[in-house]
Every structure is written in structure tokens, then in C-alpha cells.
Amino acid sequence: MKSFIKKYAPVCLIIFVVLTSFNYTHLSNSESLKLSDTINLNNIRELSLDTVKFLLFEDVANIENVRRDTIYINAGDSIYKIPFRISAKVVLDNTTRNRYFKLTGMSLLDNPELETYLIDLFSNPRSKLKEEIPPKYWQRHEIYLRYFEPYDNNSPYLPGNTLNTDYDEDEVDDQIQVLENYSNFPLPETIDLEVDLRKIPRTLKILDIEFDFDKLDKRFQRLILNSGDKVINKNRKSNLR
């Protein structure tokens, strides 16, 4: 056994160095990664491992994957088994993406997808707001009274309606029903979006109303970020002229 260790110590050292070199992988705004790992055993044998592929569909910060297998080495009359373990880690690097930007004069006529998301957002805004507003306080809150009450067909301030304040103190907020359907909210033809990703909660500001960016639909988030990247890159090109 000692003679085997002495004889193949350089081989084992090479395996260790090669395997540890695959521990960390850095991505920049990428949606997929492929790692094809090859181990060269000091001209004895070359072994290609399976491809490791990461598909990133959600807003994740990192993904880890561990590969385990065994290398078989022919050495004279004997075959030796060497188990190995490769830890691959993907870290999304968003430092190149601007953390604060404004999109001004966005035409909803030219952006029907954006218009669809905004109609849905303003039809049921409370749960997406930056400020946490329990259902029982919604119809008395400044945001509701200022922006949404005029377009609420179920407004308690309409003639014949009353504001319900008779809530049981032990009643859970999720069990309190508030009818939200402000589909007739008058969105302008052009709109400004202000995105601030520098602090928590990250925010999207529209018509002076602040929404929690992380509560928005993931596809809506990507649409906003992609629009921001296009504007930022366009401005950079203009500055280079």
C-alpha cells in the first residue's frame, strides 16, 4: 500500500488540484452555464466528466451543484478506484446592472405588454405596495382615498354604502375581505417609471405611488430591468460619440 501511495502520489496530487479548480464559477447576467470538466492524469489517462448545466429561470442569487463519481486507473496488473467530488457554484453578478434608473415617457400604446401589467397592478394594488397596509385599514388609508376611492365601484363613501369598522380584534387580516377591482383606473398614454434597487425593500415608483419591486410578477420585473438596460446602454453609447 505504501509503495502504491509513493508511486501514485503525483497522480493524486494532480487530481486534487484539478478538482478543486472547479469549485467556483462566476457569471455576469447569464441565463445558462455549461461546465465541461476534463481531468488529465499525468499523461496516464484523460477522463471527460459529464456536462454540468444550470438553467436559471427565477430571480436567484446562486445555485450549487455537487457531482460525485469514481475514476478507474489501470496500473499494471491492478485497477485502482479513486472517488472524487466536484462542487460547482454559480453566482449571479448583477453589479453591472444599474441599481437605480428612470424610464420616462414610456408609451403604453407602443408597449402593450407593459400596459397589461400596469392595468393588473393598479386594479389590485394593496398587496403590491411598498407600505404594508392591512385589509381592515385599506379603505381609510391615504393612498386609497387619494388614488383609488374615486374608481372603486364598491366605495363605502358612495351614497347608501357604509364603511365597515366592526372588526373582531382577534380576526386574522387574511380572513378580512376587501373588494379590489379598480380596472377603470385612468392610466395615462405615457408613463414614467422610477426603479430603485439599492436598498430593501426595492421599489418601483409609478404616479408617485411606491410599489415593492420584489412583490411584482417575475416577468414584469424582467420587462422593467430589460427596458432599463436598453436605456442605460443607449445613453452610454451616446456619451461615447
Side-chain angles (χ1 to χ4, degrees), residues 213-231:
F213 185 83
D214 294 307
K215 292 180 180 178
L216 304 178
D217 183 281
K218 298 296 183 184
R219 287 167 293 186
F220 187 19
Q221 292 179 10
R222 286 196 289 269
L223 176 64
I224 295 171
L225 293 176
N226 290 337
S227 298
D229 285 344
K230 291 177 183 177
V231 171

Side-chain angles (χ1 to χ4, degrees), residues 32-192:
S32 66
L33 168 70
K34 288 185 178 180
L35 296 177
S36 293
D37 302 330
T38 301
I39 299 176
N40 193 312
L41 302 179
N42 197 23
N43 297 322
I44 296 177
R45 178 180 178 184
E46 183 175 288
L47 176 67
S48 296
L49 306 181
D50 291 339
T51 295
V52 181
K53 186 175 182 180
F54 298 90
L55 298 179
L56 312 180
F57 294 108
E58 298 297 332
D59 184 14
V60 293
N62 63 76
I63 291 179
E64 293 187 32
N65 193 25
V66 177
R67 305 283 295 187
R68 292 182 176 87
D69 210 331
T70 302
I71 296 174
Y72 294 87
I73 299 179
N74 249 331
D77 297 332
S78 302
I79 298 177
Y80 298 95
K81 296 192 300 181
I82 301 178
F84 68 85
R85 177 179 181 274
I86 297 178
S87 297
K89 184 174 183 180
V90 179
V91 177
L92 297 187
D93 180 8
N94 286 323
T95 56
T96 56
R97 171 167 277 168
N98 201 309
R99 309 298 290 171
Y100 174 82
F101 57 90
K102 290 183 179 180
L103 304 172
T104 58
M106 297 282 289
S107 172
L108 298 187
L109 295 177
D110 296 335
N111 295 275
E113 186 178 10
L114 175 62
E115 182 182 29
T116 299
Y117 283 123
L118 291 179
I119 289 175
D120 180 67
L121 179 62
F122 279 87
S123 294
N124 301 275
R126 183 186 59 82
S127 61
K128 304 292 194 303
L129 292 171
K130 173 187 175 182
E131 181 180 354
E132 295 281 350
I133 306 175
K136 60 185 176 183
Y137 299 126
W138 172 239
Q139 292 181 324
R140 288 176 283 170
H141 197 278
E142 177 187 0
I143 293 179
Y144 169 80
L145 295 174
R146 181 176 179 183
Y147 294 101
F148 299 101
E149 191 277 329
Y151 311 103
D152 185 0
N153 295 328
N154 300 302
S155 169
Y157 303 99
L158 290 174
N161 292 348
T162 58
L163 179 62
N164 182 17
T165 58
D166 186 22
Y167 293 109
D168 190 326
E169 291 184 0
D170 296 330
E171 192 169 5
V172 181
D173 284 334
D174 292 341
Q175 296 175 348
I176 299 174
Q177 297 295 321
V178 174
L179 297 177
E180 290 183 74
N181 184 13
Y182 318 126
S183 56
N184 57 344
F185 187 91
L187 291 171
E189 291 186 3
T190 60
I191 201 163
D192 297 342

